[in-house]
Amino acid sequence: MNTTPLLSVRGLTKHFPIRTGVLQRVTGAVKAVDHVSFDVARGETLALVGESGCGKTTTGRALLRLVEPTSGTVQFDGVDVLALKGESLRRMRRHMQIVFQDPYGSLNPRMTVGAAIREGLVVHKLAEGAEADRRVAQLLDEVGLRADHAARYPHEFSGGQRQRIGIARALAVEPAFIVCDEPVSALDVSVQAQVVNLLRDLQRARGLSYLFIAHDLAVVAHMADRVAVMYLGRIVELAPRAALFATPRMPYTKALLSAVPVPEPGAARARILLPGDPPSPVNPPSGCVFHPRCPHPLKDAACTRLVPPLEEKAPGHFVACIKEPPTSVPTP
Amino acid sequence: MTPPRDSHTLLDVQSLQVTFPGAAGMVRAVDGVSFTVAGGETVCLVGESGCGKSLTSLSLLRLVPPPGRIESGGHILFEGRDLLSLDEAALRSVRGRQMAMIFQEPSTALNPVLTVGDQIAEVVRVHTKCSRRDAWQQAVDMLAQVGIADAPARAKQYPHELSGGMKQRVMIAMALVLTPRLVIADEPTTALDVTIQAQILELLRELRARTDMALLLITHDLGVVAEMASRVLVMYAGRVVEEAPVAALFASPHMPYTEGLLRAMPRIDSAQVSDPDALPDRLVTIPGTVPAPDALPSGCTFRDRCAYAWDRCAREEPVLYQVGPAHRARCHLVQEPERRTPHAASTASREVAA
Amino acid sequence: MLKRVAVPPGLWLMLSLVLVAVAAPWFAPYDPNATLDIIALKNQAPSLDHPFGTDPYSRDVLSRVLHGARVSLGFAFATVILALGAGTLYGSAMAFASPFMGTVLRRLLDVAFSVPRLLVLLAVAGVAGPLDVRLLVVLMAGTGWFATARLVHDEITALRTREFVLAARASGVPATRLVVRHLLPHLGPLLMTAASFSMAGTIMLEAGLSYLGLGIQPPTASWGNIIRDGAGLIQTHWWLTVFPVLATVIPIMTCNAAGDALRDRFAPPQFAGSAIPSPSNPPRGRIPSLFRQ
């Protein structure tokens, strides 16, 4: 079995400079993504979860170079993506696609749906004319729409349908890897379920790998093989799905899981309430970025000085906390 | 949930109808909705987008945006007085003082050119004969009560200087400063992160316990409903389709739509999530989409998507049948429970795209 | 894009104005410059022979107004085309330039904005004397492209950050195709709207300049100088002023109304599903207009 990961990210960093004053001098930086590293295997779904401002969307876009990373390496199928330029970068786009969160903004309102899906085929010279039309019809069918929908405009569809069109568009160029940037966050519960099922079916049928970006842990629980939790630009925990939900190690992950409302009235909740608000990524706290709000019983001065590395504390389970001991047996 | 201390009926909505001009005549966005809220109770109005829950809440304060209008024939009785027949002055004395609203988007609901302290103080001054200094003091006190640290300094800040969670707290402070009897919260935590949502829900529970106010909470998140509600109303296509105490609703939903919603919701506490060898369950979906308000099917509006529908559902519109004490469902299955067997043939063999 | 051809009344009005202007020589009963019977027909009130009356030079006012339409509307049209073209080029350059060049161009544009257009026109025309019509067009276009440049720049910048442009980039769409197939179709309607408003403004400016004697020179009839001819006699010979003024005002109003309607017609379409207002779907205003259905 081929065990080299399809995608390998090391030290990915993106700082947005802040310019102030008449001369627009750089006075600081928003450290949106700070030394993020992970792998995605073939056919796997890695979920990237976190709250707003944690940098997950920027990470997804930086991978695809829709936003230029400040530093780091991204290896896709052995190719260094960040070193590509011009035409070779454009050709690489075929293999790494993206589905956006906003089903209303991600489609050009003045282009028919069929034209939007076709564009990838035409631009990468995969098909044209009648053959391209046939493929568009096939894709529409695969995502649960009808071939005659191709002549319609985006505004004639509902949110869930537009999201399916976005997925069809991403699939048109037959990628190996798709970044799903909060694809179901803007949808109603019943529609969300349909789209999640669709994504899973497509993954199995085509052997796709996903980087599934979300803030909703419940959806992640139904999609992911492994989960990475981000906070203020850093990955603070990375584990297989079952391990993350059953035995979260990072205090932030525990708080996040306990905050999710469960549809069971009267369920006993041991809720961990984090004090205050997340700090701004312009001025992240020193040392461990989570320390001001961390409820860990062993928190001390070392937490304010040392940036905790993401270390393997249990097989396959990485945690960025200097107070969490490595264990082979999960602690309750 | 503890039973409400004061069980007299505070709000009595009867046959509320809100219409909008559509392409082919008037469309009923809210179609004959009736419910009550007792003092100290928390009632949740649940539904997906387009079901009319937001409009229902806006109607209570007569804030329906034109060209929509509330049709005559309905009544909104608040402490015995019909809000729909009050004149502007009387209505203004109710709004803010006895009934207050918390909106979904704190960024757009707060005035960007006034400090947050001023905005809360304004509410006080409009309704009571209070000096500026007293009103300011009340505003600062309220900010402290909603959990904002360093309230005197924060009160002087502008909305854009605050985070989403803080802005929502400010909105809550504005709503609660005059201790209204009823607070209407329209998706108050939807725009917030989950950890902040947990804080805000905790805050609402605390305040409700302390002030004994009634809370009408509008949401699409069944998890929030389970946490906060004592009674639940499920809305679909402008109507109430099920009404029950919260435990009964989750334990034995009678309307197939409610059943469908509960099954379609992904959960983190299901057994297979934590099982390393199990693949997550496929989510069970409700086929089809919500019908457009001007193209509702005859009979039961849910029948095209219902696994149990039979010919009666197309002929006859169901009313709210009694299922148990305080539990009603708008479904013929209540009268003919033997028909509750899903038939695979009538629904499409493959999921119809939503 | 225009699937339905249900034409609002205002558009008919506009089309007829254009038709009249183009076909003036066939419509006009008399030669606009012909002095027809110097004594008998001097300053005659409106009659069946002369529906708009005659002027101090015994010329038929109706014919003059019709020919004036040609001149004034034609002038405005030429000016607008030139100004829009220049503005689009400059705005695009500003949007696609490097950050530094972009800032430089932007500041230059800001300086240009601070120049009072009317004063400049008056100054130049006043000092240089009556100008050749073509020079006048260039001068007016040269002072009228600033707003378009900013409009185009803002629109391109806004579009570039829209998700569908990002999606196109992610699909590997090359830059030229991106501009042509994704950005330009949005600019088209925008420019049409800008053109309508610009026409209205230019007609007004030219009329004003000609009225002051600094614009189109007689004997070529332009609405502005027709009004000038009759200005002194307004109390006794009202027709010399009223008809040319109406002739000027109606196209201005029509152009403004057209601009409004175009802007609404080509706004991004309303979403499917719910036409019912909600916090995420605010209701749109309803302003009556010549161009509404």
Side-chain angles (χ1 to χ4, degrees), chain A residues 57-68:
Chain A
T57 295
T58 312
T59 303
R61 295 188 182 186
L63 276 183
L64 264 42
R65 288 185 62 186
L66 291 175
V67 150
E68 284 299 330

Side-chain angles (χ1 to χ4, degrees), chain C residues 175-188:
Chain C
T176 39
R177 192 190 162 97
L178 194 73
V179 170
V180 169
R181 295 216 60 193
H182 290 268
L183 295 182
L184 286 187
H186 280 85
L187 278 182

Side-chain angles (χ1 to χ4, degrees), chain B residues 281-297:
Chain B
D281 295 336
R282 201 177 162 76
L283 289 169
V284 183
T285 64
I286 307 176
T289 28
V290 181
D294 50 359
L296 293 174

Side-chain angles (χ1 to χ4, degrees), chain B residues 179-230:
Chain B
T179 50
R181 307 290 315 279
L182 172 69
V183 173
I184 305 165
D186 188 353
E187 308 236 32
T189 54
T190 302
L192 302 173
D193 284 324
V194 73
T195 48
I196 310 294
Q197 173 176 283
Q199 288 177 358
I200 298 290
L201 290 178
E202 182 64 36
L203 172 67
L204 282 174
R205 272 199 298 264
E206 235 180 87
L207 291 171
R208 191 194 55 193
R210 224 189 303 156
T211 63
D212 199 26
M213 71 194 184
L215 181 61
L216 178 66
L217 182 59
I218 292 139
T219 179
H220 65 273
D221 186 338
L222 288 165
V224 172
V225 170
E227 263 196 42
M228 300 290 295
S230 47

